[in-house]
Amino acid sequence: MQVKEILESPIWKTHPAVKNNKVHMLDYKTFLHYDPISILGQADLITDMLVKSAK
């Protein structure tokens, strides 16, 4: 299933996180790697996303 199909599906649109604007799209290339250094950087990026969305 393509991302566009998912985002346009009725099930997706009724999900509480979607309705409350609490969904964050992650860049595949940024979050592809899973070595320890990459994971620490990814954790920082996710933290920043969540803090910004809480404001």
Side-chain angles (χ1 to χ4, degrees), residues 34-52:
Y34 54 90
D35 58 275
I37 294 171
S38 295
I39 291 172
L40 289 173
Q42 293 162 357
D44 288 340
L45 290 172
I46 291 171
T47 301
D48 291 342
M49 268 189 249
L50 294 174
V51 167
K52 285 178 186 176

Side-chain angles (χ1 to χ4, degrees), residues 26-43:
L26 302 179
D27 176 52
Y28 175 78
K29 291 180 183 177
T30 301
F31 293 90
L32 170 67
H33 307 287
Y34 54 90
D35 58 275
I37 294 171
S38 295
I39 291 172
L40 289 173
Q42 293 162 357

Side-chain angles (χ1 to χ4, degrees), residues 16-24 53:
V18 175
K19 286 182 169 183
N20 293 310
N21 199 28
K22 298 295 182 187
V23 175
H24 302 278
S53 71

Side-chain angles (χ1 to χ4, degrees), residues 1-16:
M1 189 177 257
Q2 297 293 323
V3 173
K4 184 178 177 182
E5 291 176 62
I6 294 170
L7 297 176
E8 292 175 357
S9 75
I11 294 172
W12 176 260
K13 291 178 181 180
T14 60
H15 194 283

